[in-house]
Amino acid sequence: MKFSDEQIHRYSRQMILPGVGGKGQRKLLEAKVFIMGAGGLGSPAALYLAAAGVGTIGLADFDRVELHNLQRQILHKTCDVGLLKVESGTRTLESLNPGVGIQTYSERITAANIREIIKGYDLVLDGSDNFPTRFLLNDACYFEKKTLISGAILRFDGQLSTFKPHAGGPCYRCLFPELPPPGVVPSCQEAGVLGAVAGIIGILQANEALKEILGLGESMTGRFLMFNSLNLSFYEVKIQRNPNCLLCGDNPKIKDLIEYPQSCQGNAAGPSLPP
Ligand SMILES: [Zn+2]
């Protein structure tokens, strides 16, 4: 594949980076990244991945744009209220970079379709806002051996990690074995979220995705990052695969995807881990 003049011009500032070059840019153009949710995390993540020239971006969201989304979901504009988020998101990403192919999934992501959908992608970004989807995505990525870049936000806090159990690292269930009971962790709807926190965590997810594609730097696998925006602090704990994990442990109990009832929907970030 030869670069067009337009591509060389567009990507010049990253193609001159050590470790990227034409070879890295080609990897980006050939990469396929699936983003769960075109919301607070998925919006900034998708924008930076499209800007960098990630060749195929899958965008899954069954919601429509509402006015209260616009405080943080920067893929969408006031004139998009009422549109499907994947329609509005596609329009924004295509206007940013027409060279990127956007695949959209406006149906609900369930145990019945998730494995088939992520099969075609190299990487999965979790920008979901609820625990049933978070666990479903973790389990599907485990079974399909896909790297999962996980982000979560609530109020003034955020979390980030990369799960690669197929490469020996932990999965999300190694940390949080089961869904918290409904109501234990408040949702963004109940507790609120600062828009910029979504931006910071979503951009960190994009950063990790670019690193994974380019094979640069140190992966976030085995590391769990917590961010507090009020005192502007990041702290990180090392995490390991749990041999008793229900999913990726030595004697796994979970052999197939579980469809969690929607009644326990509505949660975002997991509990903080002790330093
Ligand atoms: Zn595990």
Side-chain angles (χ1 to χ4, degrees), residues 19-20 27-28 49 54 123 147 149 160 162 164 203-221 223:
V20 181
K27 283 185 193 168
L28 292 171
L49 294 180
V54 166
L123 274 179
T147 296
I149 299 174
L160 179 87
T162 295
K164 253 199 260 196
I203 288 172
L204 286 176
Q205 286 180 278
N207 185 62
E208 293 313 304
L210 296 174
K211 281 164 57 190
E212 293 287 341
I213 296 163
L214 294 164
L216 288 179
E218 228 178 284
S219 171
M220 279 301 292
T221 183
R223 302 161 64 190

Side-chain angles (χ1 to χ4, degrees), residues 150-162:
S150 174
I153 46 169
L154 193 66
R155 295 195 177 110
F156 302 100
D157 296 297
Q159 301 174 345
L160 179 87
S161 191
T162 295

Side-chain angles (χ1 to χ4, degrees), residues 170-174 241-242 245-249:
C171 80
Y172 189 74
R173 283 190 192 268
C174 292
R241 177 179 166 266
N242 175 5
C245 177
L246 297 170
L247 180 69
C248 75

